[in-house]
Amino acid sequence: MADVAVVGAGIVGLAAAYAARQRGADVTVYEPAAPGSGQSAGCSRIFRHAHDDPRMVTWAVRSRHIWCQWERDFGTELLSADGALSLGDGALDKLRILAGIEGVEAARVDPDQVARALPILAPYDGPAVLDTGGGSIRTEAAIAALTGALHQGLVGEQVITIGPAGSRVEVRTLTGRRRHDHVLVCAGARTAELVPDMAIPVRLSAHVRLTFAVTGGARERLATLQDSSGAFGATGVYAAAHTGNTRYSLGLSSTTDLTAPGGAQRLADLAEQARAYVATALPGLDPDPVGHVHCWVTELPWGSDGVGVWQGPGVSAVVGHNLFKQAPALGQALAQAALGEDLPADLAPAARFGGPPH
Ligand SMILES: Cc1cc2nc3c(=O)[nH]c(=O)nc-3n(C[C@H](O)[C@H](O)[C@H](O)COP(=O)(O)OP(=O)(O)OC[C@H]3O[C@@H](n4cnc5c(N)ncnc54)[C@H](O)[C@@H]3O)c2cc1C
């Protein structure tokens, strides 16, 4: 039986560990904190098919299949059926990329359809696209279900080094060491520093996302939102609903470097901009936030959806951003690599997966 270690129990590590376990591997997951408390923290994420890179659309289709399979495995909803709404000309550009990709149902929608998909939105009559296979990811349910399934293999320790040991790989933690056939490094913001020889070109920045209460009780339907239209005074807006549709989390995709002077103030400014957007664009929300999530963004040089897997003998390390939706397919690919098979070519750093078309 292959002996696989996974460093990190965020959504990516858990997905990889679950896939490796399903394929019969003996899996150890190292995680010193609560599973899902790193970049995967918070109550919702957007699942969308639209990406600049058509390869990533195909991966999203595959991931959606696995999300649905996980819902059957665990007997719980992990993806809402509310759809993913995008506003602005950029949404139409992405619709052209989606056209013809099997498994995607997305179309331009009129103002009435926009209002039905997202009844908390102010009147909007600009370009809009609805991806009916998109929706809000039930992040906490996903982390809980995977953690429960992997419970026996979870080790509450921090990994400090990963290095070769003959034909195997040695993992050192603060209190011990252990050898494995393959180590998958899925440590989010800490991945690059655990494999310094791989020189992964990741840029770390910080991000804030606010949670708002839906006024007047739960809505039957709350599509996720991406707004690049500028119609409500901001662009780069993204938002998703929590389970039960009584709360909606929203952020601006801008990030800030906390090591630079003024970084903390910029984070506060981003939160204020998000609040101001809600006050203008989303009259169905109470504009006083009920929660904040601060988180690291790990971006590769080729774009905000970029992802890559760096490999050395017995070690595969994954880095990228916006990975929640893609975690199921990514997890299967990582498990494949851990079990001695080739990694899908898309994930090699040279493939610049998730970047704009060449
Ligand atoms: C505010 C926000 C909104 C987002 N919105 C979306 C979205 O709408 N859709 C989407 O798809 N994605 C979205 N993302 C991105 C997505 O959430 C992340 O890409 C994803 O959660 C990353 O998961 P991960 O498992 O790689 O990392 P993490 O969740 O950070 O997991 C890494 C784990 O490794 C552990 N670890 C670190 N160092 C060590 C060590 N030395 N030893 C052992 N364990 C270690 C950490 O404790 C952590 O639990 C968003 C991110 C943020 C911050």
Side-chain angles (χ1 to χ4, degrees):
M1 187 189 288
D3 178 337
V4 174
V6 177
V7 183
I11 190 63
V12 176
L14 291 170
Y18 185 62
R21 174 77 66 77
Q22 282 188 312
R23 293 194 50 185
D26 180 10
V27 183
T28 305
V29 182
Y30 295 93
E31 171 58 70
S37 62
Q39 286 178 300
S40 303
C43 299
S44 64
R45 293 288 187 276
I46 297 176
F47 183 93
R48 60 180 156 94
H49 289 96
H51 289 87
D52 289 329
D53 183 343
R55 296 172 298 179
M56 207 161 240
V57 180
T58 308
W59 277 68
V61 171
R62 200 177 311 148
S63 280
R64 192 176 190 286
H65 275 295
I66 306 169
W67 279 112
C68 294
Q69 180 58 49
W70 286 358
E71 289 183 329
R72 291 190 288 276
D73 289 356
F74 301 125
T76 188
E77 183 190 73
L78 299 177
L79 205 56
S80 83
D82 291 354
L85 181 67
S86 303
L87 310 181
D89 289 331
L92 299 182
D93 295 340
K94 287 206 171 76
L95 184 60
R96 282 187 271 279
I97 297 171
L98 294 177
I101 297 186
E102 204 177 328
V104 183
E105 283 181 32
R108 184 168 185 164
V109 284
D110 64 28
D112 287 343
Q113 291 167 306
V114 168
R116 278 199 295 278
L118 191 56
I120 57 175
L121 184 73
Y124 173 81
D125 61 5
V129 170
L130 184 65
D131 168 5
T132 49
S136 298
I137 302 173
R138 310 309 193 192
T139 51
E140 290 175 312
I143 297 285
L146 290 166
T147 303
L150 293 159
H151 185 64
Q152 285 177 335
L154 273 171
V155 174
E157 294 202 45
Q158 181 183 356
V159 171
I160 56 164
T161 64
I162 299 162
S167 62
R168 307 190 82 205
V169 187
E170 187 167 81
V171 168
R172 286 180 185 264
T173 66
L174 288 175
T175 57
R177 60 186 186 137
R178 198 166 148 184
R179 291 180 180 184
H180 302 277
D181 297 327
H182 198 103
V183 178
L184 296 173
V185 190
C186 307
R190 305 269 80 90
T191 291
E193 68 196 41
L194 282 170
V195 285
D197 294 348
M198 291 181 178
I200 300 176
V202 61
R203 188 175 75 93
L204 211 63
S205 57
H207 182 74
V208 58
R209 176 184 177 143
L210 283 68
T211 299
F212 300 89
V214 176
T215 51
R219 300 301 166 97
E220 198 179 324
R221 182 174 188 189
L222 285 184
T224 65
L225 173 67
Q226 284 182 283
D227 183 2
S228 61
S229 70
F232 302 109
T235 55
V237 174
Y238 71 92
H242 294 205
T243 306
N245 285 353
T246 55
R247 294 196 166 188
Y248 207 59
S249 284
L250 181 142
L252 303 181
S253 52
S254 309
T255 64
T256 179
D257 178 359
L258 290 185
T259 63
Q265 182 55 48
R266 172 125 177 88
L267 202 58
D269 292 345
L270 286 174
E272 179 48 32
Q273 286 166 27
R275 205 200 60 77
Y277 175 88
V278 165
T280 309
L282 292 158
L285 297 179
D286 180 339
D288 287 331
V290 294
H292 288 68
V293 173
H294 297 104
C295 201
W296 298 116
V297 171
T298 41
E299 216 171 291
L300 290 168
W302 51 89
S304 60
D305 285 326
V307 51
V309 176
W310 278 255
Q311 292 196 287
V315 181
S316 304
V318 59
V319 171
H321 182 47
N322 282 328
L323 302 183
F324 217 110
K325 72 184 80 58
Q326 299 285 15
L330 200 51
Q332 284 197 347
L334 290 166
Q336 195 176 309
L339 296 173
E341 296 162 22
D342 286 341
L343 190 73
D346 287 342
L347 293 175
R352 298 170 75 86
F353 188 38
H358 294 294

